[in-house]
Amino acid sequence: MGSPMKVRARNDGGTTEVKILMSHPMETGRRKNEKGDLIPALFIQQVSVQHQGKVVLSAQWGPAISANPFLSFKFRGGAKGETVKVTWVDNKGDSRTDEALIA
Amino acid sequence: MRRIVAAALGLGVACGALGGDQSASEAIAQYRQMLEDGNPAELMELRGEELWTTPRGPRNVTLEQCDLGLGPGVVEGAYARLPRYFADTDRVQDVESRLLTCMTTLQGFAYEDATRAWYKAGSDLEALVTFIATRSKGQPIDTPVKHAKEVEALAVGADFFYRRSGPLDFACATCHSQDDRRIRLQELPNFENPASARTSMTVWPAYRVSQSAVWTMERRLIDCIRQMRYPEPELGSDAIIALQVYLQHQARGGVMQGPGIKR
Amino acid sequence: MKSLSRALPLLLCLLANGVAAADALEVTVRRSFPGASDEERRTRLDQDEVQALCSKHRNRPPADVAARIVESQLQTIRYPEDGKLLGDWRAGEKLASIGTGGHIGRIQPDPADRKKGGNCYACHTLAKKEVAAGNLGPSLTGIGTVRGNGPEAVRYTYQKIFNAQAFFPCSSMPRFGHSGWLTPQEIADAVAFLLDPESPVNKD
């Protein structure tokens, strides 16, 4: 189970803005440690955001994305008090899900 | 979907050409603004709070009775008032040093265990300092210079700032005593200028993108000293604490902004 | 107020007795670097006379001290064995960009054989094409065009890089030759990078 994300969602006139800060090392697999060995690739491959059972964002990521990624986007709909649920899965099969209420 | 992701993740790349001072600074300032809500230091802050409130160490107690200068357990505003003198250790201490006092005396950690790999990204000390510093957001830097040892530390810290040595004859002052200077394209704060000192001291600890880690002020200073080609000072040593006394004093009145973002 | 009046005598004592203040600093420095070997202490923490004087005077030495520094530092200058003070500008160009070498400590040391460069671009603008240049020192773009590369210009430039304090007492510029950071040959190459008309420093 991955480290907790910070998820914030805010509705403004029918559009909900979601801001997500994920905790993940996002190793490309090409970096070397002090001993000179390659650090194995470890990065988020799938991100999915749901609102009331409907997927509002789906993303396929690769190693180019920086560590501790910050993702911000908007979707039409949503109302104060409803839940937004974020899930990521990485290339080793680890995953994390966190929720937030729309403010 | 890829378009949304690509647009949002344009954040990951510094916008604007990196040619000349002005556009580089502007680009980085823009980047910071976009990341205001997404500073990865927040993740460290969360972890630090967890470490503060979880029973740990051989004595299995939390850090909630730790005195950071404003009384046992008072975290609010403590960072903005450190370093300072502590009667129980009869020393002037900064936040790291004080945390180590609490981790060893309250929680019963051996010093070697409490300091192990303290400089590695994601260390316990990094998380705890981030948490404590964030609880001074909005407060002015107000370090005391009253006790004899605080007065001495200020003098020693100022002298150390100007002390030249090593194969490159460097002192802190070599790079940090004039306005509008930069090394390569990295702007340098001028600690002789209070306004510049305030701009600098109020945004550390800071998330360093190049390290994917939060660096505390002590970590930052120890790396400066490495770059000066000096030997490595010990964590929580008196020279480093005295230097922070001087820097905080130069920056007094500056309002803590919460953890910043640096290259 | 009470604690301030208690602190004041100590502060006055420290101010009145510069020696005591200097001692407090040196004692603190001594005990804050326990991991340093004797060799590291000697070569990187202990101050030589010039460093001590410049620190004491905050790099603004009074006239008599300044004169003594200039005279003593001029004596330190050593030249390449073949006597050629104008070397290879291509080699000098490489040196100007190297900022690593000589780092010690546990956290991020350099391997002992890591090449040391002059790291000139940290502080100076040089070739126009290199935008990532600092401004701690004056711009040197086109310096060869301005000064030419006659024997006097070459000699002065060589000496300046070898020991900048032979000309500017308490200069911020490292005494590259005096400390052995750069060899006489490397300094000659740096001189060529600056003064050779073919060097990018002097070409548009």
Side-chain angles (χ1 to χ4, degrees), chain B residues 146 159 163-166 169 180 182 184 226-227 229 232 234 238-239, chain C residues 31 44-45 47 51 55 58-59 101 103 106 108 132-133 135 171 175:
Chain B
K146 291 187 169 63
D159 284 343
R163 186 183 186 279
R164 300 182 74 167
S165 77
D169 301 319
D180 304 319
R182 58 175 198 269
R184 289 278 191 161
R226 182 186 70 90
Q227 293 279 32
R229 301 325 198 269
E232 188 180 300
E234 190 179 29
D238 287 335
Chain C
R31 70 166 177 264
R44 295 166 187 256
L45 274 185
Q47 293 180 300
Q51 290 166 338
S55 303
R58 305 269 160 107
N59 300 315
H103 294 101
R106 213 182 3 152
Q108 202 184 336
N135 67 356
S171 166
R175 297 171 290 167

PDB file of all heavy atoms in Angstrom, chain B residues 146 159 163-166 169 180 182 184 226-227 229 232 234 238-239, chain C residues 31 44-45 47 51 55 58-59 101 103 106 108 132-133 135 171 175:
ATOM      1  N   LYS B 146      19.545  37.043  24.343  1.00  0.00           N
ATOM      2  CA  LYS B 146      19.519  37.590  25.700  1.00  0.00           C
ATOM      3  C   LYS B 146      20.499  36.850  26.602  1.00  0.00           C
ATOM      4  O   LYS B 146      21.358  37.453  27.219  1.00  0.00           O
ATOM      5  CB  LYS B 146      18.100  37.476  26.277  1.00  0.00           C
ATOM      6  CG  LYS B 146      17.099  38.386  25.603  1.00  0.00           C
ATOM      7  CD  LYS B 146      15.753  38.333  26.352  1.00  0.00           C
ATOM      8  CE  LYS B 146      14.802  39.427  25.877  1.00  0.00           C
ATOM      9  NZ  LYS B 146      14.423  39.282  24.451  1.00  0.00           N
ATOM     10  N   ASP B 159      31.301  35.806  13.077  1.00  0.00           N
ATOM     11  CA  ASP B 159      32.716  35.607  12.754  1.00  0.00           C
ATOM     12  C   ASP B 159      32.898  34.425  11.815  1.00  0.00           C
ATOM     13  O   ASP B 159      33.737  34.462  10.914  1.00  0.00           O
ATOM     14  CB  ASP B 159      33.535  35.404  14.029  1.00  0.00           C
ATOM     15  CG  ASP B 159      33.775  36.703  14.776  1.00  0.00           C
ATOM     16  OD1 ASP B 159      33.589  37.781  14.161  1.00  0.00           O
ATOM     17  OD2 ASP B 159      34.133  36.645  15.968  1.00  0.00           O
ATOM     18  N   ARG B 163      34.717  33.926   8.077  1.00  0.00           N
ATOM     19  CA  ARG B 163      35.975  33.181   8.260  1.00  0.00           C
ATOM     20  C   ARG B 163      36.380  32.471   6.984  1.00  0.00           C
ATOM     21  O   ARG B 163      35.674  31.574   6.513  1.00  0.00           O
ATOM     22  CB  ARG B 163      35.822  32.163   9.382  1.00  0.00           C
ATOM     23  CG  ARG B 163      37.112  31.446   9.753  1.00  0.00           C
ATOM     24  CD  ARG B 163      36.832  30.397  10.839  1.00  0.00           C
ATOM     25  NE  ARG B 163      38.057  29.775  11.343  1.00  0.00           N
ATOM     26  CZ  ARG B 163      38.703  28.788  10.742  1.00  0.00           C
ATOM     27  NH1 ARG B 163      38.241  28.297   9.614  1.00  0.00           N
ATOM     28  NH2 ARG B 163      39.813  28.283  11.272  1.00  0.00           N
ATOM     29  N   ARG B 164      37.556  32.849   6.453  1.00  0.00           N
ATOM     30  CA  ARG B 164      38.033  32.250   5.212  1.00  0.00           C
ATOM     31  C   ARG B 164      39.008  31.120   5.505  1.00  0.00           C
ATOM     32  O   ARG B 164      39.882  31.256   6.365  1.00  0.00           O
ATOM     33  CB  ARG B 164      38.739  33.305   4.349  1.00  0.00           C
ATOM     34  CG  ARG B 164      37.835  34.456   3.962  1.00  0.00           C
ATOM     35  CD  ARG B 164      38.532  35.444   3.083  1.00  0.00           C
ATOM     36  NE  ARG B 164      38.712  34.930   1.728  1.00  0.00           N
ATOM     37  CZ  ARG B 164      39.066  35.682   0.689  1.00  0.00           C
ATOM     38  NH1 ARG B 164      39.283  36.967   0.866  1.00  0.00           N
ATOM     39  NH2 ARG B 164      39.216  35.148  -0.497  1.00  0.00           N
ATOM     40  N   SER B 165      38.847  30.027   4.782  1.00  0.00           N
ATOM     41  CA  SER B 165      39.849  28.963   4.883  1.00  0.00           C
ATOM     42  C   SER B 165      39.693  28.007   3.714  1.00  0.00           C
ATOM     43  O   SER B 165      38.844  28.212   2.845  1.00  0.00           O
ATOM     44  CB  SER B 165      39.765  28.214   6.224  1.00  0.00           C
ATOM     45  OG  SER B 165      38.689  27.315   6.249  1.00  0.00           O
ATOM     46  N   GLY B 166      40.513  26.983   3.694  1.00  0.00           N
ATOM     47  CA  GLY B 166      40.422  25.967   2.658  1.00  0.00           C
ATOM     48  C   GLY B 166      41.184  26.342   1.397  1.00  0.00           C
ATOM     49  O   GLY B 166      41.641  27.465   1.240  1.00  0.00           O
ATOM     50  N   ASP B 169      39.985  29.477  -0.330  1.00  0.00           N
ATOM     51  CA  ASP B 169      39.897  30.708   0.468  1.00  0.00           C
ATOM     52  C   ASP B 169      38.459  31.180   0.693  1.00  0.00           C
ATOM     53  O   ASP B 169      38.218  32.378   0.854  1.00  0.00           O
ATOM     54  CB  ASP B 169      40.660  31.867  -0.209  1.00  0.00           C
ATOM     55  CG  ASP B 169      42.125  31.551  -0.417  1.00  0.00           C
ATOM     56  OD1 ASP B 169      42.733  30.957   0.499  1.00  0.00           O
ATOM     57  OD2 ASP B 169      42.664  31.879  -1.492  1.00  0.00           O
ATOM     58  N   ASP B 180      22.393  41.090  -5.541  1.00  0.00           N
ATOM     59  CA  ASP B 180      22.252  40.768  -6.976  1.00  0.00           C
ATOM     60  C   ASP B 180      23.404  39.960  -7.542  1.00  0.00           C
ATOM     61  O   ASP B 180      23.841  40.184  -8.657  1.00  0.00           O
ATOM     62  CB  ASP B 180      22.091  42.052  -7.809  1.00  0.00           C
ATOM     63  CG  ASP B 180      20.928  42.888  -7.338  1.00  0.00           C
ATOM     64  OD1 ASP B 180      19.877  42.281  -7.018  1.00  0.00           O
ATOM     65  OD2 ASP B 180      21.067  44.114  -7.232  1.00  0.00           O
ATOM     66  N   ARG B 182      25.008  36.028  -8.446  1.00  0.00           N
ATOM     67  CA  ARG B 182      24.594  34.651  -8.694  1.00  0.00           C
ATOM     68  C   ARG B 182      25.837  33.805  -8.999  1.00  0.00           C
ATOM     69  O   ARG B 182      26.846  34.316  -9.495  1.00  0.00           O
ATOM     70  CB  ARG B 182      23.625  34.573  -9.869  1.00  0.00           C
ATOM     71  CG  ARG B 182      24.167  35.121 -11.147  1.00  0.00           C
ATOM     72  CD  ARG B 182      23.264  34.932 -12.358  1.00  0.00           C
ATOM     73  NE  ARG B 182      24.069  35.106 -13.563  1.00  0.00           N
ATOM     74  CZ  ARG B 182      24.228  36.257 -14.185  1.00  0.00           C
ATOM     75  NH1 ARG B 182      23.614  37.365 -13.756  1.00  0.00           N
ATOM     76  NH2 ARG B 182      24.999  36.331 -15.247  1.00  0.00           N
ATOM     77  N   ARG B 184      26.803  30.849 -11.454  1.00  0.00           N
ATOM     78  CA  ARG B 184      26.149  30.382 -12.693  1.00  0.00           C
ATOM     79  C   ARG B 184      24.814  31.121 -12.744  1.00  0.00           C
ATOM     80  O   ARG B 184      24.809  32.359 -12.735  1.00  0.00           O
ATOM     81  CB  ARG B 184      25.972  28.861 -12.685  1.00  0.00           C
ATOM     82  CG  ARG B 184      27.262  28.071 -12.833  1.00  0.00           C
ATOM     83  CD  ARG B 184      27.665  27.962 -14.287  1.00  0.00           C
ATOM     84  NE  ARG B 184      28.747  27.010 -14.505  1.00  0.00           N
ATOM     85  CZ  ARG B 184      29.040  26.462 -15.670  1.00  0.00           C
ATOM     86  NH1 ARG B 184      28.330  26.758 -16.747  1.00  0.00           N
ATOM     87  NH2 ARG B 184      30.051  25.614 -15.794  1.00  0.00           N
ATOM     88  N   ARG B 226      30.269  21.963   2.365  1.00  0.00           N
ATOM     89  CA  ARG B 226      30.891  20.950   1.501  1.00  0.00           C
ATOM     90  C   ARG B 226      31.390  21.598   0.207  1.00  0.00           C
ATOM     91  O   ARG B 226      32.502  21.329  -0.251  1.00  0.00           O
ATOM     92  CB  ARG B 226      29.879  19.848   1.172  1.00  0.00           C
ATOM     93  CG  ARG B 226      30.429  18.707   0.322  1.00  0.00           C
ATOM     94  CD  ARG B 226      29.310  17.740  -0.077  1.00  0.00           C
ATOM     95  NE  ARG B 226      28.396  18.327  -1.047  1.00  0.00           N
ATOM     96  CZ  ARG B 226      28.544  18.243  -2.374  1.00  0.00           C
ATOM     97  NH1 ARG B 226      29.571  17.597  -2.886  1.00  0.00           N
ATOM     98  NH2 ARG B 226      27.671  18.808  -3.168  1.00  0.00           N
ATOM     99  N   GLN B 227      30.583  22.469  -0.363  1.00  0.00           N
ATOM    100  CA  GLN B 227      30.945  23.145  -1.609  1.00  0.00           C
ATOM    101  C   GLN B 227      32.139  24.080  -1.407  1.00  0.00           C
ATOM    102  O   GLN B 227      32.886  24.355  -2.334  1.00  0.00           O
ATOM    103  CB  GLN B 227      29.763  23.963  -2.143  1.00  0.00           C
ATOM    104  CG  GLN B 227      28.589  23.121  -2.602  1.00  0.00           C
ATOM    105  CD  GLN B 227      28.781  22.572  -4.000  1.00  0.00           C
ATOM    106  OE1 GLN B 227      29.897  22.286  -4.439  1.00  0.00           O
ATOM    107  NE2 GLN B 227      27.692  22.409  -4.724  1.00  0.00           N
ATOM    108  N   ARG B 229      34.579  23.315   0.175  1.00  0.00           N
ATOM    109  CA  ARG B 229      35.687  22.360   0.277  1.00  0.00           C
ATOM    110  C   ARG B 229      36.227  22.253   1.704  1.00  0.00           C
ATOM    111  O   ARG B 229      37.380  21.872   1.905  1.00  0.00           O
ATOM    112  CB  ARG B 229      36.839  22.676  -0.693  1.00  0.00           C
ATOM    113  CG  ARG B 229      36.490  22.699  -2.189  1.00  0.00           C
ATOM    114  CD  ARG B 229      35.458  21.708  -2.603  1.00  0.00           C
ATOM    115  NE  ARG B 229      35.435  21.444  -4.026  1.00  0.00           N
ATOM    116  CZ  ARG B 229      34.701  22.086  -4.935  1.00  0.00           C
ATOM    117  NH1 ARG B 229      33.906  23.060  -4.561  1.00  0.00           N
ATOM    118  NH2 ARG B 229      34.756  21.738  -6.209  1.00  0.00           N
ATOM    119  N   GLU B 232      33.293  18.068   6.599  1.00  0.00           N
ATOM    120  CA  GLU B 232      31.871  18.084   6.921  1.00  0.00           C
ATOM    121  C   GLU B 232      31.661  18.364   8.409  1.00  0.00           C
ATOM    122  O   GLU B 232      32.158  17.635   9.246  1.00  0.00           O
ATOM    123  CB  GLU B 232      31.292  16.714   6.579  1.00  0.00           C
ATOM    124  CG  GLU B 232      29.781  16.596   6.668  1.00  0.00           C
ATOM    125  CD  GLU B 232      29.358  15.182   6.302  1.00  0.00           C
ATOM    126  OE1 GLU B 232      29.641  14.762   5.178  1.00  0.00           O
ATOM    127  OE2 GLU B 232      28.769  14.498   7.175  1.00  0.00           O
ATOM    128  N   GLU B 234      29.732  18.390  12.006  1.00  0.00           N
ATOM    129  CA  GLU B 234      28.834  17.407  12.602  1.00  0.00           C
ATOM    130  C   GLU B 234      27.422  17.984  12.686  1.00  0.00           C
ATOM    131  O   GLU B 234      27.236  19.180  12.914  1.00  0.00           O
ATOM    132  CB  GLU B 234      29.313  17.046  14.008  1.00  0.00           C
ATOM    133  CG  GLU B 234      28.575  15.859  14.604  1.00  0.00           C
ATOM    134  CD  GLU B 234      29.081  15.508  15.977  1.00  0.00           C
ATOM    135  OE1 GLU B 234      29.550  16.427  16.681  1.00  0.00           O
ATOM    136  OE2 GLU B 234      29.007  14.329  16.346  1.00  0.00           O
ATOM    137  N   ASP B 238      28.150  23.107  17.272  1.00  0.00           N
ATOM    138  CA  ASP B 238      28.015  24.493  17.713  1.00  0.00           C
ATOM    139  C   ASP B 238      28.283  25.507  16.600  1.00  0.00           C
ATOM    140  O   ASP B 238      27.678  26.580  16.576  1.00  0.00           O
ATOM    141  CB  ASP B 238      28.952  24.763  18.903  1.00  0.00           C
ATOM    142  CG  ASP B 238      28.441  24.092  20.170  1.00  0.00           C
ATOM    143  OD1 ASP B 238      27.215  23.863  20.260  1.00  0.00           O
ATOM    144  OD2 ASP B 238      29.259  23.803  21.062  1.00  0.00           O
ATOM    145  N   ALA B 239      29.195  25.179  15.669  1.00  0.00           N
ATOM    146  CA  ALA B 239      29.491  26.129  14.592  1.00  0.00           C
ATOM    147  C   ALA B 239      28.259  26.325  13.706  1.00  0.00           C
ATOM    148  O   ALA B 239      27.902  27.448  13.337  1.00  0.00           O
ATOM    149  CB  ALA B 239      30.676  25.645  13.757  1.00  0.00           C
TER     150      ALA B 239
ATOM    151  N   ARG C  31      35.880  22.100  17.592  1.00  0.00           N
ATOM    152  CA  ARG C  31      35.077  20.962  18.067  1.00  0.00           C
ATOM    153  C   ARG C  31      33.879  20.640  17.172  1.00  0.00           C
ATOM    154  O   ARG C  31      33.171  19.670  17.417  1.00  0.00           O
ATOM    155  CB  ARG C  31      34.604  21.187  19.514  1.00  0.00           C
ATOM    156  CG  ARG C  31      33.576  22.244  19.696  1.00  0.00           C
ATOM    157  CD  ARG C  31      32.930  22.151  21.083  1.00  0.00           C
ATOM    158  NE  ARG C  31      31.996  23.238  21.258  1.00  0.00           N
ATOM    159  CZ  ARG C  31      32.285  24.392  21.868  1.00  0.00           C
ATOM    160  NH1 ARG C  31      33.487  24.570  22.421  1.00  0.00           N
ATOM    161  NH2 ARG C  31      31.391  25.348  21.961  1.00  0.00           N
ATOM    162  N   ARG C  44      42.307  22.463   5.210  1.00  0.00           N
ATOM    163  CA  ARG C  44      41.008  23.051   4.875  1.00  0.00           C
ATOM    164  C   ARG C  44      40.369  23.886   5.975  1.00  0.00           C
ATOM    165  O   ARG C  44      39.465  24.678   5.706  1.00  0.00           O
ATOM    166  CB  ARG C  44      40.031  21.934   4.479  1.00  0.00           C
ATOM    167  CG  ARG C  44      40.460  21.215   3.200  1.00  0.00           C
ATOM    168  CD  ARG C  44      39.678  19.924   3.026  1.00  0.00           C
ATOM    169  NE  ARG C  44      40.166  19.119   1.922  1.00  0.00           N
ATOM    170  CZ  ARG C  44      39.547  19.017   0.723  1.00  0.00           C
ATOM    171  NH1 ARG C  44      38.438  19.665   0.501  1.00  0.00           N
ATOM    172  NH2 ARG C  44      40.070  18.255  -0.226  1.00  0.00           N
ATOM    173  N   LEU C  45      40.801  23.688   7.239  1.00  0.00           N
ATOM    174  CA  LEU C  45      40.183  24.440   8.326  1.00  0.00           C
ATOM    175  C   LEU C  45      41.132  25.461   8.954  1.00  0.00           C
ATOM    176  O   LEU C  45      40.721  26.571   9.288  1.00  0.00           O
ATOM    177  CB  LEU C  45      39.691  23.487   9.436  1.00  0.00           C
ATOM    178  CG  LEU C  45      38.302  22.892   9.266  1.00  0.00           C
ATOM    179  CD1 LEU C  45      37.940  22.082  10.503  1.00  0.00           C
ATOM    180  CD2 LEU C  45      37.250  23.962   9.038  1.00  0.00           C
ATOM    181  N   GLN C  47      43.680  28.313   9.246  1.00  0.00           N
ATOM    182  CA  GLN C  47      43.858  29.462   8.370  1.00  0.00           C
ATOM    183  C   GLN C  47      45.335  29.784   8.206  1.00  0.00           C
ATOM    184  O   GLN C  47      46.107  29.715   9.169  1.00  0.00           O
ATOM    185  CB  GLN C  47      43.166  30.686   8.971  1.00  0.00           C
ATOM    186  CG  GLN C  47      41.662  30.570   9.023  1.00  0.00           C
ATOM    187  CD  GLN C  47      41.025  31.805   9.633  1.00  0.00           C
ATOM    188  OE1 GLN C  47      41.296  32.161  10.774  1.00  0.00           O
ATOM    189  NE2 GLN C  47      40.179  32.480   8.868  1.00  0.00           N
ATOM    190  N   GLN C  51      44.532  34.335   5.084  1.00  0.00           N
ATOM    191  CA  GLN C  51      43.127  34.054   5.386  1.00  0.00           C
ATOM    192  C   GLN C  51      42.724  34.662   6.725  1.00  0.00           C
ATOM    193  O   GLN C  51      41.629  35.243   6.863  1.00  0.00           O
ATOM    194  CB  GLN C  51      42.891  32.538   5.400  1.00  0.00           C
ATOM    195  CG  GLN C  51      42.980  31.907   4.018  1.00  0.00           C
ATOM    196  CD  GLN C  51      43.075  30.389   4.091  1.00  0.00           C
ATOM    197  OE1 GLN C  51      43.469  29.810   5.107  1.00  0.00           O
ATOM    198  NE2 GLN C  51      42.714  29.726   3.004  1.00  0.00           N
ATOM    199  N   SER C  55      39.988  37.601   7.055  1.00  0.00           N
ATOM    200  CA  SER C  55      38.793  37.345   7.861  1.00  0.00           C
ATOM    201  C   SER C  55      38.640  38.435   8.919  1.00  0.00           C
ATOM    202  O   SER C  55      37.559  38.986   9.110  1.00  0.00           O
ATOM    203  CB  SER C  55      38.882  35.981   8.548  1.00  0.00           C
ATOM    204  OG  SER C  55      39.068  34.952   7.604  1.00  0.00           O
ATOM    205  N   ARG C  58      37.500  41.649   7.500  1.00  0.00           N
ATOM    206  CA  ARG C  58      36.318  41.490   6.654  1.00  0.00           C
ATOM    207  C   ARG C  58      36.627  41.920   5.217  1.00  0.00           C
ATOM    208  O   ARG C  58      35.867  42.628   4.575  1.00  0.00           O
ATOM    209  CB  ARG C  58      35.124  42.280   7.218  1.00  0.00           C
ATOM    210  CG  ARG C  58      34.775  41.944   8.672  1.00  0.00           C
ATOM    211  CD  ARG C  58      33.756  40.831   8.778  1.00  0.00           C
ATOM    212  NE  ARG C  58      33.742  40.177  10.082  1.00  0.00           N
ATOM    213  CZ  ARG C  58      32.808  40.313  11.015  1.00  0.00           C
ATOM    214  NH1 ARG C  58      31.776  41.101  10.802  1.00  0.00           N
ATOM    215  NH2 ARG C  58      32.886  39.673  12.153  1.00  0.00           N
ATOM    216  N   ASN C  59      37.787  41.489   4.742  1.00  0.00           N
ATOM    217  CA  ASN C  59      38.231  41.706   3.362  1.00  0.00           C
ATOM    218  C   ASN C  59      38.466  43.169   3.005  1.00  0.00           C
ATOM    219  O   ASN C  59      38.577  43.491   1.826  1.00  0.00           O
ATOM    220  CB  ASN C  59      37.272  41.057   2.353  1.00  0.00           C
ATOM    221  CG  ASN C  59      37.177  39.556   2.566  1.00  0.00           C
ATOM    222  OD1 ASN C  59      38.181  38.879   2.746  1.00  0.00           O
ATOM    223  ND2 ASN C  59      35.959  39.040   2.609  1.00  0.00           N
ATOM    224  N   GLY C 101      35.396  18.216  -7.994  1.00  0.00           N
ATOM    225  CA  GLY C 101      36.741  17.911  -7.521  1.00  0.00           C
ATOM    226  C   GLY C 101      36.976  18.512  -6.157  1.00  0.00           C
ATOM    227  O   GLY C 101      36.563  19.633  -5.886  1.00  0.00           O
ATOM    228  N   HIS C 103      35.746  17.779  -3.202  1.00  0.00           N
ATOM    229  CA  HIS C 103      34.731  17.705  -2.140  1.00  0.00           C
ATOM    230  C   HIS C 103      35.065  16.537  -1.217  1.00  0.00           C
ATOM    231  O   HIS C 103      35.407  15.449  -1.676  1.00  0.00           O
ATOM    232  CB  HIS C 103      33.342  17.435  -2.725  1.00  0.00           C
ATOM    233  CG  HIS C 103      32.803  18.529  -3.577  1.00  0.00           C
ATOM    234  ND1 HIS C 103      32.837  18.482  -4.950  1.00  0.00           N
ATOM    235  CD2 HIS C 103      32.201  19.703  -3.254  1.00  0.00           C
ATOM    236  CE1 HIS C 103      32.280  19.574  -5.444  1.00  0.00           C
ATOM    237  NE2 HIS C 103      31.888  20.337  -4.445  1.00  0.00           N
ATOM    238  N   ARG C 106      31.256  12.784   4.345  1.00  0.00           N
ATOM    239  CA  ARG C 106      30.577  11.504   4.228  1.00  0.00           C
ATOM    240  C   ARG C 106      29.428  11.571   3.209  1.00  0.00           C
ATOM    241  O   ARG C 106      29.102  10.603   2.566  1.00  0.00           O
ATOM    242  CB  ARG C 106      29.984  11.185   5.608  1.00  0.00           C
ATOM    243  CG  ARG C 106      29.913   9.762   6.004  1.00  0.00           C
ATOM    244  CD  ARG C 106      29.247   9.665   7.357  1.00  0.00           C
ATOM    245  NE  ARG C 106      28.798  10.936   7.872  1.00  0.00           N
ATOM    246  CZ  ARG C 106      27.775  11.092   8.705  1.00  0.00           C
ATOM    247  NH1 ARG C 106      27.089  10.055   9.114  1.00  0.00           N
ATOM    248  NH2 ARG C 106      27.448  12.292   9.141  1.00  0.00           N
ATOM    249  N   GLN C 108      28.602  13.558   0.299  1.00  0.00           N
ATOM    250  CA  GLN C 108      28.749  13.544  -1.156  1.00  0.00           C
ATOM    251  C   GLN C 108      30.178  13.882  -1.561  1.00  0.00           C
ATOM    252  O   GLN C 108      30.424  14.893  -2.227  1.00  0.00           O
ATOM    253  CB  GLN C 108      27.766  14.554  -1.768  1.00  0.00           C
ATOM    254  CG  GLN C 108      27.435  14.255  -3.229  1.00  0.00           C
ATOM    255  CD  GLN C 108      26.527  15.324  -3.834  1.00  0.00           C
ATOM    256  OE1 GLN C 108      25.790  16.018  -3.123  1.00  0.00           O
ATOM    257  NE2 GLN C 108      26.579  15.479  -5.140  1.00  0.00           N
ATOM    258  N   ALA C 132      24.999  30.189 -18.998  1.00  0.00           N
ATOM    259  CA  ALA C 132      24.952  29.910 -17.564  1.00  0.00           C
ATOM    260  C   ALA C 132      26.261  30.345 -16.916  1.00  0.00           C
ATOM    261  O   ALA C 132      27.128  29.526 -16.613  1.00  0.00           O
ATOM    262  CB  ALA C 132      24.698  28.421 -17.330  1.00  0.00           C
ATOM    263  N   ALA C 133      26.377  31.642 -16.722  1.00  0.00           N
ATOM    264  CA  ALA C 133      27.592  32.202 -16.140  1.00  0.00           C
ATOM    265  C   ALA C 133      27.226  33.111 -14.979  1.00  0.00           C
ATOM    266  O   ALA C 133      26.198  33.787 -15.001  1.00  0.00           O
ATOM    267  CB  ALA C 133      28.357  32.990 -17.205  1.00  0.00           C
ATOM    268  N   ASN C 135      28.093  36.095 -11.822  1.00  0.00           N
ATOM    269  CA  ASN C 135      28.510  37.501 -11.816  1.00  0.00           C
ATOM    270  C   ASN C 135      29.180  37.914 -10.503  1.00  0.00           C
ATOM    271  O   ASN C 135      29.148  39.083 -10.128  1.00  0.00           O
ATOM    272  CB  ASN C 135      27.311  38.417 -12.112  1.00  0.00           C
ATOM    273  CG  ASN C 135      26.278  38.379 -11.000  1.00  0.00           C
ATOM    274  OD1 ASN C 135      26.400  37.632 -10.036  1.00  0.00           O
ATOM    275  ND2 ASN C 135      25.256  39.200 -11.129  1.00  0.00           N
ATOM    276  N   SER C 171      41.094  39.566  -2.160  1.00  0.00           N
ATOM    277  CA  SER C 171      40.195  39.275  -3.271  1.00  0.00           C
ATOM    278  C   SER C 171      39.361  38.037  -2.971  1.00  0.00           C
ATOM    279  O   SER C 171      39.815  37.125  -2.271  1.00  0.00           O
ATOM    280  CB  SER C 171      41.026  39.012  -4.523  1.00  0.00           C
ATOM    281  OG  SER C 171      40.246  38.414  -5.538  1.00  0.00           O
ATOM    282  N   ARG C 175      43.079  31.530  -4.723  1.00  0.00           N
ATOM    283  CA  ARG C 175      44.483  31.564  -5.129  1.00  0.00           C
ATOM    284  C   ARG C 175      44.849  30.204  -5.721  1.00  0.00           C
ATOM    285  O   ARG C 175      45.513  29.386  -5.117  1.00  0.00           O
ATOM    286  CB  ARG C 175      45.374  31.899  -3.922  1.00  0.00           C
ATOM    287  CG  ARG C 175      45.108  33.284  -3.339  1.00  0.00           C
ATOM    288  CD  ARG C 175      45.843  33.519  -2.031  1.00  0.00           C
ATOM    289  NE  ARG C 175      45.286  32.715  -0.940  1.00  0.00           N
ATOM    290  CZ  ARG C 175      45.893  32.541   0.230  1.00  0.00           C
ATOM    291  NH1 ARG C 175      47.082  33.076   0.462  1.00  0.00           N
ATOM    292  NH2 ARG C 175      45.315  31.801   1.173  1.00  0.00           N
TER     293      ARG C 175
END
